[in-house]
Structures are given as structure tokens and as C-alpha cells.
Amino acid sequence: EAEQKIEQFTRNGWDKMPICMAKTQYSFSADPALKNAPEGFDLPIRDIRASLGAGFVYPLCGAMQTLPGLPTRPCFYNIDIDAKTGDILGLF
């Protein structure tokens, strides 16, 4: 699956974008049991995704999960304080 997506990304012109690795924080490998800087391991890339708005691609290693993306307009723009009452507006 990852190899097919790399071919697709290349056709779309996304192959020059920076890469952000999505892997365990415990090791240079994709295996959290291999602590620190192990040697002689394979790094399995199971998928690759593009975050076009942010301008990068990110391979997913091992069982790494991702969170949903953020909106293009942050929600804090809708939050305000009513100067007369002191009420916070726009939270919910």
C-alpha cells in the first residue's frame, strides 16, 4: 500500500515535500520494545499520507495511530468576553 501511494504522490508532485516520520517516541525503530538507538532493524512503512495544507508527507511506521487534523480556522477566533457582563462567549 505504501509503495503505491509513493508512486501516486510522485505523479501528483508531492515527492519534493518534507517528510515527518510518525513512529514510536521510544526508539529509532518502529518497535517500542527496542529502546534508544538499536542497530540492525527494519523500519516497516505501512502507509504514507500527505498533509497538503501543512506542506509535508508522513509515513506511518508499525502500529502508529494518528489524530484527526485541525480546522483551517482555529476555534479561539470565535471566543470572546462580553465587556459588560464578563461572560465568555463562543466556547460551546
Side-chain angles (χ1 to χ4, degrees):
E1 182 179 348
E3 289 180 10
Q4 292 172 351
K5 283 196 174 177
I6 290 171
E7 291 173 10
Q8 176 188 354
F9 287 9
T10 301
R11 285 192 306 273
N12 291 340
W14 305 338
D15 57 323
K16 305 294 188 273
M17 297 175 84
I19 297 172
C20 179
M21 297 298 291
K23 56 172 250 359
T24 179
Q25 71 270 25
Y26 299 114
S27 174
F28 285 133
S29 76
D31 183 353
L34 296 176
K35 304 285 188 221
N36 302 317
E39 295 180 5
F41 62 89
D42 291 327
L43 187 62
I45 307 290
R46 67 175 172 84
D47 194 7
I48 184 167
R49 298 179 185 169
S51 187
L52 300 178
F56 62 86
V57 297
Y58 57 102
L60 300 176
C61 303
M64 180 59 58
Q65 295 180 352
T66 59
L67 295 173
L70 298 173
T72 56
R73 178 173 159 58
C75 295
F76 73 83
Y77 284 116
N78 302 328
I79 299 173
D80 201 1
I81 297 176
D82 185 318
K84 292 181 183 177
T85 65
D87 291 340
I88 299 175
L89 308 171
L91 283 180
F92 303 101

